[in-house]
């Protein structure tokens, strides 16, 4: 079993601000240290594109140059922390129904199924 962060990626055929990888019209890109430079560029492009927003007053005006305008959608550290916390919460939320399911369908192996919570040092959400 592999658990790793992934981005939903959409094609951007006309993107030319920096090198990006070839992409199908829709897919997933696993984030890890093995990404080629063009794949890293694809990830940065997708994050900025998906988080495109009108700047709030406390962030100042949106840059006027094409690169600055595009990059204003990058996530802040606080946003990244919230996304990671949400992913952790999603796993915790899954552990309770997984434990119930295991008790009903695999009673002799239910402890092994719920060992996931211990391995991740998480408690099931109540």
């Amino acid at each position: 079993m592999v658990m790793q962060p992934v981005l939903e990626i959409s094609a951007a055929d006309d993107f030319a601000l920096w090198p990006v990888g070839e992409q199908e019209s829709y897919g997933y890109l696993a984030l890890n240290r093995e990404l080629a430079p063009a794949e890293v560029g694809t990830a940065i492009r997708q994050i900025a594109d998906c988080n495109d927003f009108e700047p709030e007053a406390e962030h100042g005006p949106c840059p006027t140059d094409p690169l600055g305008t595009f990059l204003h959608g990058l996530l802040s550290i606080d946003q990244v922390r919230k996304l990671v916390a949400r992913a952790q919460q999603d796993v915790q939320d899954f552990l309770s129904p997984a434990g119930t399911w295991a008790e009903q369908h695999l009673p002799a192996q239910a402890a092994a199924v719920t060992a996931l919570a211990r391995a991740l040092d998480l408690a099931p959400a109540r």
Side-chain angles (χ1 to χ4, degrees), residues 45-66:
R45 179 203 49 87
Q46 188 68 35
I47 291 168
D49 190 42
C50 285
N51 292 289
D52 189 18
F53 63 93
E54 291 298 319
E56 297 172 12
E58 71 252 16
H59 297 294
C62 184
T64 57
D65 65 290

